[in-house]
């Protein structure tokens, strides 16, 4: 009776646990910790969305069980968003389902479509649910490069030739968490052509669709002709409208995959609380200037963080999307590994970051830094990091005559499958 349960045995120890424990202990001692390790938006949800929630929650008829796949108005609102934003037409009845955040949708779809022993292709590093949703469902995961380029495409070709059994599904996530890479439509066209040829499903995680800072506006994979033959895409209101705790997301695309997710969810939940769904309609159909404001806020924070880190002597690429910087560990600390470096940074600088190992073995050598504090706190964090690095022999960079943020550095060497 003491043996670990089968599915739990397949889950490794939580990599972030030791850093979280150190963070909690420091706060218990009264230390001021600047927490840049979580991806938790700190800004309030726009007022018109909250007002709609309050209005709806006062109606007693809205307090009963809701609809597992989402109320019709919400599915229509998501279809409207896709048509406005991506020029993609969706059938709200057959090609859209509301989920309790994109994470829940990904995990439940993995359970719905996976047989024990299936092979799934997952970028490494990537957000943990991308691989562990399928591992929990009984699949085997094969790592591919996380970069949206020929390296990933070549690795996919090799995976099809050399995996037994042949892979059944592929996960992609752009703008990506944790690496902040962006993909363009031409890359998606090649990906869709590959998946259709090999009869492999694509699950695209587009949770950061509206958090971008440069000329490349993140596209939807569903904008590629024929993509709905093999692809489903997950989106979320968490980052776009600062609604993380509301747990409101969507899946859209391939009718067969949407049907499978709808069927399994019908056994598991009654959908999100109806007032939350009504407020989500207000978010999608209402004024969108709040989305541009949130995007501008993250861009300002990105510039403050990257300038401050470069001034401290830490050369970190400037992300073009997402709410994270993917930072290579300074050379002097690389032997420590990402977990011990994160703990040392917490202890000596009072700044918490997420160790890259938590996003897969190929995340080792990096930490993820979230843009989840205001600019004053970010400046405080970079000053503390500068003192920490200086104490370990890292020389601050020479002052720059330019006030602009550094351009994105080159991508790290791709992971080979």
């Amino acid at each position: 009776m003491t043996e670990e349960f089968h599915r739990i045995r397949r889950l490794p120890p939580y990599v972030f646990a030791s850093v979280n424990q150190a963070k909690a202990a420091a706060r218990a001692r009264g230390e001021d910790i600047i927490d840049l390790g979580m991806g938790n938006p700190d800004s309030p949800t726009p007022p018109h969305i909250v007002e709609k929630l309050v209005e709806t929650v006062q109606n007693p008829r809205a307090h009963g069980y809701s609809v597992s796949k989402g109320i019709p108005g919400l599915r229509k609102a998501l279809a409207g968003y896709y048509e406005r934003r991506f020029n993609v037409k969706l059938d709200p009845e057959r090609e859209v389902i509301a989920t309790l955040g994109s994470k829940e949708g990904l995990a439940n779809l993995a359970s719905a479509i996976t047989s024990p022993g299936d092979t799934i292709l997952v970028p490494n590093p990537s957000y943990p649910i991308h691989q562990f949703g399928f591992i929990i469902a009984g699949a085997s995961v094969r790592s591919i490069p996380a970069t949206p380029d020929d390296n990933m495409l070549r690795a996919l070709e090799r995976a099809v030739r050399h995996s037994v059994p042949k892979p059944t599904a592929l996960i992609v996530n752009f703008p990506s968490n944790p690496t902040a890479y962006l993909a363009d439509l031409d890359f998606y066209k090649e990906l869709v052509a590959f998946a259709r040829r090999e009869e492999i499903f694509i699950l695209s995680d587009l949770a950061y669709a509206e958090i971008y800072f440069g000329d490349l506006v993140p596209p939807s994979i569903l904008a590629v002709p024929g993509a709905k033959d093999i692809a489903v895409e997950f989106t979320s209101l968490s980052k776009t409208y600062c609604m993380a705790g509301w747990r409101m997301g969507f899946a859209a695309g391939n009718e067969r995959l949407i049907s499978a997710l709808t069927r399994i969810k019908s056994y598991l939940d009654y959908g999100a609380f109806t007032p939350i769904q009504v407020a989500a309609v207000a978010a999608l159909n209402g004024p969108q200037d709040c989305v541009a404001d949130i995007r501008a806020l993250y861009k300002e924070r990105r510039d403050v963080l990257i300038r401050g880190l470069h001034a401290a002597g830490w050369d970190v690429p400037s992300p073009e999307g997402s709410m994270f910087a993917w930072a290579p560990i300074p050379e002097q600390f690389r032997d420590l590994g990402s977990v011990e470096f994160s703990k040392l940074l917490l202890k000596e600088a009072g700044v918490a970051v997420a160790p890259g190992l938590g996003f897969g073995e190929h995340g080792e050598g990096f930490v993820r830094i979230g843009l989840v504090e205001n600019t004053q706190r970010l400046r405080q964090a970079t000053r503390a990091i500068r003192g920490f690095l200086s104490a370990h022999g890292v020389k601050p960079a020479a002052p720059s005559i330019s006030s602009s943020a550094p351009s994105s550095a080159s991508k790290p060497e791709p992971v080979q499958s």
Side-chain angles (χ1 to χ4, degrees), residues 40-62:
N40 195 8
D42 63 310
S43 299
T45 304
H48 69 281
I49 302 172
V50 177
E51 289 166 7
K52 179 56 71 172
L53 173 72
V54 172
E55 174 191 326
T56 311
V57 82
Q58 292 173 343
N59 180 358
R61 297 181 64 185

Side-chain angles (χ1 to χ4, degrees), residues 45-46 48-49 52 77 84 237 240-241 243 277-288 290-291:
T45 304
H48 69 281
I49 302 172
K52 179 56 71 172
R84 293 191 308 270
L237 304 189
T240 304
Y241 299 99
M243 294 172 64
Q277 296 192 53
V278 174
V281 174
L284 290 167
N285 289 347
Q288 300 299 300
C290 58
V291 178

Side-chain angles (χ1 to χ4, degrees), residues 108-115 118 120 134 168-169 201 203 257 260-261:
N108 277 329
L109 183 58
S111 177
I113 68 174
T114 302
S115 299
D118 280 356
I120 309 298
F134 281 97
T168 59
F201 287 120
L203 281 60
L257 294 178
L261 180 55

Side-chain angles (χ1 to χ4, degrees), residues 118-128 130-132 134-135 139-147 151-160 162-163 167 169-172 357 359-364 414-417:
D118 280 356
T119 299
I120 309 298
L121 305 176
V122 181
N124 191 337
S126 69
Y127 187 51
H130 295 157
Q131 62 171 320
F132 289 112
F134 281 97
I135 288 174
S140 298
V141 168
R142 177 166 181 156
S143 294
I144 58 170
T147 50
N151 293 298
M152 177 184 282
L153 295 171
R154 287 195 296 267
L156 291 173
E157 297 283 358
R158 290 195 300 273
V160 168
H162 301 299
S163 295
L170 160 68
I171 311 294
V172 292
L357 184 62
F359 304 97
E361 61 181 304
H362 298 294
E364 186 57 278
V415 175
Q416 299 301 318
S417 65

Side-chain angles (χ1 to χ4, degrees), residues 130-256:
H130 295 157
Q131 62 171 320
F132 289 112
F134 281 97
I135 288 174
I136 291 169
S140 298
V141 168
R142 177 166 181 156
S143 294
I144 58 170
T147 50
D149 54 23
D150 287 344
N151 293 298
M152 177 184 282
L153 295 171
R154 287 195 296 267
L156 291 173
E157 297 283 358
R158 290 195 300 273
V160 168
R161 289 197 306 269
H162 301 299
S163 295
V164 178
K166 177 183 174 181
T168 59
L170 160 68
I171 311 294
V172 292
N173 169 216
F174 304 109
S176 64
N177 175 11
T179 61
Y181 296 150
L182 272 67
D184 59 22
L185 198 59
D186 286 340
F187 175 76
Y188 281 145
K189 288 177 180 176
E190 294 192 66
L191 208 61
V192 168
F194 161 81
R196 293 183 69 188
R197 184 176 67 248
E198 300 296 343
E199 298 183 330
I200 293 174
F201 287 120
I202 297 177
L203 281 60
S204 169
D205 182 352
L206 195 62
Y208 295 89
E210 303 302 338
I211 310 298
Y212 58 89
F213 313 122
D215 296 332
L216 177 55
V217 178
S220 164
I221 197 170
L222 300 180
V224 177
K228 284 197 286 186
D229 292 343
I230 45 83
V232 68
E233 191 158 67
F234 292 89
T235 53
S236 169
L237 304 189
S238 296
K239 311 307 189 295
T240 304
Y241 299 99
C242 297
M243 294 172 64
W246 299 54
R247 307 314 303 137
M248 197 73 252
F250 305 92
N254 179 265
E255 183 179 347
R256 184 182 175 199

Side-chain angles (χ1 to χ4, degrees), residues 14 16 19-20 23 27 33-40 177 324 342 351-355 359 367-373:
Y14 190 54
F16 303 111
V19 177
N20 289 342
K23 184 168 55 180
R27 283 178 169 156
I33 300 299
I34 303 175
D35 191 355
L36 307 181
M38 296 291 291
N40 195 8
N177 175 11
F324 307 108
S342 298
V351 177
V353 297
F359 304 97
V367 293
R368 192 193 70 178
I369 307 175
L371 306 174
V372 291
E373 289 277 7

Side-chain angles (χ1 to χ4, degrees), residues 254-300:
N254 179 265
E255 183 179 347
R256 184 182 175 199
L257 294 178
I258 295 299
S259 176
L261 180 55
T262 301
R263 185 168 180 179
I264 201 163
K265 277 177 61 63
S266 70
Y267 284 92
L268 297 175
D269 67 69
Y270 288 106
F273 187 36
T274 297
I276 290 178
Q277 296 192 53
V278 174
V281 174
L284 290 167
N285 289 347
Q288 300 299 300
D289 53 340
C290 58
V291 178
D293 291 343
I294 291 167
R295 184 185 307 124
L297 174 69
Y298 282 123
K299 184 177 186 297
E300 179 186 20

